[in-house]
Amino acid sequence: MTDFPQPSSSNPANQYDRSEGTTSLNEMQRTLTWHGAFWVAAGVPPLVLFSIGGIAGTAGKVAFLVWTVSICMGFLQSFTYAEMAGMFGNKSGGTSVYGATAWMRYSKIIAPLSVWCNWFAWSPVLSLGCTIAAGYILNGLFPIPDATSPLVLDWIANHANSIAATDPRVTDWLAANPGKAASDAIQTLLASDGVAALTPAIRTWEAFHIPIPYLGTLYFNSTFVVGVVIMLTMYTIQKRGIGAAAGVQKVLAVIVLVPLLLAGLVPIITGSINWSYVTNIVPPAAAGSALDGAWNVGGWTLVLGGMYVAAWSTYGFETAVCYTRELKNPKTDTFKGIFYSGLLCMLFFILIPFAFQGVYGHEGLLAPGIADGSGIGEAMGRMISSNSVVVHLFVLLMILALAMSIMTAGAGSSRTLYQGSRDGWLPKYLGKVNKNGAPVGAMRQDLVFNTFLLALASDAGGYYLVLAIANVGYLLFNFLNLNAGWIHRIDSPHLDRPWKAPTWLLALNTLLAFVNALFLGAGAKVWGYSQALWAGLIFAALVIPIFAYRHWVTDKGRFPREAMEDLGLDPDGDLEPGRAGMLPYLTLLAGLIVVLFANWFFVLPG
């Protein structure tokens, strides 16, 4: 797989001529090898930390299989993306850009839709990562006491008479917990009051909040403030260019990925895996339930909901081809970057969820700190050692792991916006770069957008709301892009392909596009927000007026010369009609039918 044929000298597009020339200060700089792209993409494995708890709560004992199947799908799909990436050595922005060009001949709207969906799926990694990292930092500096800690027990002893059996709170508690005694209610309420009284004020501080109808609430609290500081730090690093960002990522990867790998290996080596936790595989009775369910429609809905969110993490190594325009040798390095990144992710996304579930079991993974992500670092540390120093060190490493993910997402999503601007799909200001070749116009857009999302995600409910809506865009992009592979084969056989996927694999990945459509229809509503699918589709549609203004008002109905050249077309001519006839339109119709049917057929357990 590492033998790459050389481009044909008869290539009419001559698509690498500009890529191998010099670059000016207003363009991205070719400073990256495939190793650099690999290290930037090394921020993808820590994405397992974002939703490992949520998927465990949703899919139950099936969770580790969800991760395994999902990363295997992502690896297969990456071969279609690798072929398309090699076709466009002048482009940045990743596989959504390369695939979007296939749809240009059939609908001008579909191309920017693919790019837009990829961006608003990847970009929220910044806000979600900062939310979890802020939680780790606040937990480390200002911990909330446990109900069984000596401080809380002393407080309870000193306030034992503060709650009477006739207190309305006791009455309400007994009504919600039939069969319990008043003494049970008093003890529980005292523990709750003790935790609240001893919780540092910064953990409950909130400047204000703003309800957003039909969406959620923006919270401007301590999590938001710490998250903004982290986000600005990442922005400052990335302004120095992709070479500097790759250097930082390489250092972080060595520091972080080795301990993360140990968290997966040590329990297996030491025999800490409880095999009963990873056998008798059935879905839970309901989302968040510790009871076993059945393989009925409700159970499958929960599993498909897990597959829906897992895809957001496991497919993410396709970001390795976001930097084609910055590679010194895009003819060979695009494939190498995505292939070896995929192997790295296969290791982590199979091993870590298996070990995590094998150690803690389904019930253990339902703990609040696991579900909201704030306790995952400590839990993984305890998989290696019970020593408190090791555990605290591991929590620190998880903060660095989240920083890696934020860097990866920021680099990839900003370049998607940049190339969308250069190709005439998105506003021109997004195509601005600084002297280091960093797309600062797009980076600022990411910063503003994620400051809003950070406020929305600063509580657990908002966190999964953002994740569920963002993933609507990601699976839409994957559907369009996997089908772009065969469209390019039909319409652009003249474009050189330094690496060409086997035809059978291209066909299999086309089938997987419809499997992703199934995940989208069935899974979006599983995450506590029944309208997530429709909210995501509405956000996706926002690109239509944005593109319309850029294309028909700013560019007078014509695409930029470089966009036409990259397709091997006359830069001053018009788009040629597609050779695939009605097939792309029938594909879109079939995908829509699959989404709507899945959304109707699959329902949560009653």
Side-chain angles (χ1 to χ4, degrees), residues 551-573:
H551 186 66
W552 283 289
V553 176
T554 304
D555 292 343
K556 311 303 180 187
R558 301 190 66 83
F559 287 104
R561 290 175 59 89
E562 66 182 76
M564 300 293 284
E565 289 174 350
D566 286 339
L567 284 173
L569 302 175
D570 180 359
D572 298 314

Side-chain angles (χ1 to χ4, degrees), residues 334-380:
T334 48
F335 177 82
K336 291 180 181 178
I338 195 170
F339 178 73
Y340 291 111
S341 297
L343 290 180
L344 178 73
C345 289
M346 287 274 286
L347 174 64
F348 279 88
F349 283 117
I350 293 174
L351 185 63
I352 298 300
F354 172 79
F356 207 56
Q357 184 171 326
V359 170
Y360 291 107
H362 181 205
E363 289 190 40
L365 296 182
L366 295 177
I370 302 299
D372 64 18
S374 63
I376 290 176
E378 179 180 350
M380 286 197 173

Side-chain angles (χ1 to χ4, degrees), residues 508-522:
L508 175 60
N509 288 338
T510 302
L511 177 63
L512 292 182
F514 290 91
V515 176
N516 283 318
L518 178 72
F519 297 161
L520 175 59

Side-chain angles (χ1 to χ4, degrees), residues 189-201:
L189 293 172
L190 279 172
S192 175
D193 290 349
V195 170
L198 297 173
T199 295

Side-chain angles (χ1 to χ4, degrees), residues 159-488:
H159 297 79
N161 298 321
S162 61
I163 300 178
T166 56
D167 192 301
R169 295 169 63 203
V170 173
T171 304
D172 293 341
W173 190 92
L174 291 173
N177 297 272
K180 297 290 186 178
S183 58
D184 297 324
I186 292 173
Q187 192 64 26
T188 301
L189 293 172
L190 279 172
S192 175
D193 290 349
V195 170
L198 297 173
T199 295
I202 193 172
R203 299 302 302 274
T204 57
W205 173 83
E206 179 184 299
F208 58 94
H209 63 271
I210 303 175
I212 305 293
Y214 308 109
L215 184 60
T217 302
L218 305 182
Y219 292 96
F220 297 89
N221 51 23
S222 54
T223 299
F224 173 81
V225 173
V226 176
V228 166
V229 172
I230 298 171
M231 198 183 304
L232 288 172
T233 302
M234 299 297 103
Y235 172 79
T236 302
I237 293 172
Q238 295 201 44
K239 282 178 64 178
R240 297 170 56 195
I242 192 62
V248 173
Q249 285 286 88
K250 182 176 181 178
V251 173
L252 289 177
V254 173
I255 295 173
V256 168
L257 294 186
V258 172
L260 192 59
L261 183 60
L262 288 176
L265 289 175
V266 169
I268 298 174
I269 296 172
T270 60
S272 300
I273 301 294
N274 185 331
W275 293 99
S276 67
Y277 292 161
V278 289
T279 53
N280 188 28
I281 305 300
V282 291
S289 171
L291 301 176
D292 286 347
W295 286 105
N296 51 24
V297 172
W300 274 107
T301 302
L302 293 174
V303 172
L304 293 176
M307 293 294 298
Y308 169 77
V309 164
W312 183 79
S313 299
T314 56
Y315 299 177
F317 66 92
E318 44 88 8
T319 191
V321 293
C322 274
Y323 320 102
T324 304
R325 183 63 184 84
E326 296 158 278
L327 288 171
K328 294 178 180 178
N329 188 3
K331 298 176 185 178
T332 59
D333 285 354
T334 48
F335 177 82
K336 291 180 181 178
I338 195 170
F339 178 73
Y340 291 111
S341 297
L343 290 180
L344 178 73
C345 289
M346 287 274 286
L347 174 64
F348 279 88
F349 283 117
I350 293 174
L351 185 63
I352 298 300
F354 172 79
F356 207 56
Q357 184 171 326
V359 170
Y360 291 107
H362 181 205
E363 289 190 40
L365 296 182
L366 295 177
I370 302 299
D372 64 18
S374 63
I376 290 176
E378 179 180 350
M380 286 197 173
R382 295 192 183 282
M383 289 165 62
I384 297 176
S385 172
S386 59
N387 185 288
S388 60
V389 175
V390 173
V391 172
H392 289 305
L393 179 60
F394 209 91
V395 171
L396 175 61
L397 292 175
M398 290 304 97
I399 296 174
L400 296 179
L402 292 167
M404 286 180 62
S405 297
I406 295 166
M407 291 270 286
T408 296
S413 63
S414 61
R415 280 155 179 79
T416 299
L417 291 178
Y418 163 84
Q419 192 63 51
S421 173
R422 294 294 296 262
D423 283 344
W425 299 325
L426 299 175
K428 279 192 170 183
Y429 74 87
L430 296 173
K432 179 182 178 182
V433 299
N434 64 10
K435 64 180 181 180
N436 299 315
V440 289
M443 289 167 61
R444 289 167 186 158
Q445 174 86 5
D446 265 344
L447 191 62
V448 172
F449 179 59
N450 277 279
T451 299
F452 171 83
L453 292 184
L454 184 60
L456 186 62
S458 289
D459 76 322
Y463 177 91
Y464 282 109
L465 168 62
V466 171
L467 184 55
I469 293 177
N471 209 36
V472 172
Y474 199 54
L475 290 184
L476 280 175
F477 139 73
N478 273 281
F479 178 83
L480 294 172
N481 232 46
L482 290 171
N483 283 289
W486 62 263
I487 296 176
H488 270 311

